[in-house]
Amino acid sequence: MGQFFLAASAISGFLAVALGAFGAHALKQRLSADMLAVYETAVQYHFYHTLALLAVAVLMVGGAQGLKLSAVLFLVGTVIFSGSLYALALSGVKVLGAVTPIGGLCLLAGWACLAYAAIKGLS
């Protein structure tokens, strides 16, 4: 299972770089300052949680137990949180912003699960 999340973090990192570059080069002149800020927030959180997922995946590959839920929540949370912000910035459809907090809650839960696993002992 750790290898799956390791691959997922690699793909997520690739996408974070690509989407960040796309925003910096292709969208700078096309989006309003507000929507560009939303897009940049999506990229930042995408990167942060790609790194968190990578760390959890490395621990899992190393034999640490009890991290699967944290990894799932980081992955799902990143897709929902950053994905909804990307979609909002690119489409301007404000209702997409209503989905973002669900992703944020998943990310918070991922961090809580990671803390719980660390306190309980990773192995």
Side-chain angles (χ1 to χ4, degrees):
M1 188 56 66
Q3 289 176 321
F4 169 81
F5 290 113
L6 190 59
S9 68
I11 293 166
S12 183
F14 176 91
L15 290 172
V17 172
L19 291 168
F22 177 70
H25 299 289
L27 298 179
K28 201 169 221 171
Q29 304 302 323
R30 296 180 186 199
L31 295 181
S32 69
D34 288 345
M35 287 297 108
L36 191 57
V38 167
Y39 192 90
E40 289 171 351
T41 297
V43 172
Q44 286 177 333
Y45 276 76
H46 189 163
F47 266 118
Y48 299 152
H49 290 89
T50 292
L51 294 174
L53 180 59
L54 175 63
V56 169
V58 167
L59 289 169
M60 289 174 76
V61 169
Q65 303 296 311
L67 296 173
K68 181 179 176 185
L69 184 56
S70 181
V72 168
L73 288 165
F74 283 148
L75 186 57
V76 170
T78 299
V79 169
I80 295 172
F81 184 88
S82 292
S84 66
L85 290 180
Y86 289 135
L88 168 63
L90 294 172
S91 72
V93 177
K94 302 285 185 194
V95 73
L96 291 169
V99 176
T100 306
I102 296 167
L105 289 174
C106 289
L107 295 174
L108 288 169
W111 286 109
C113 288
L114 180 57
Y116 178 77
I119 291 167
K120 250 191 115 171
L122 293 174
S123 56

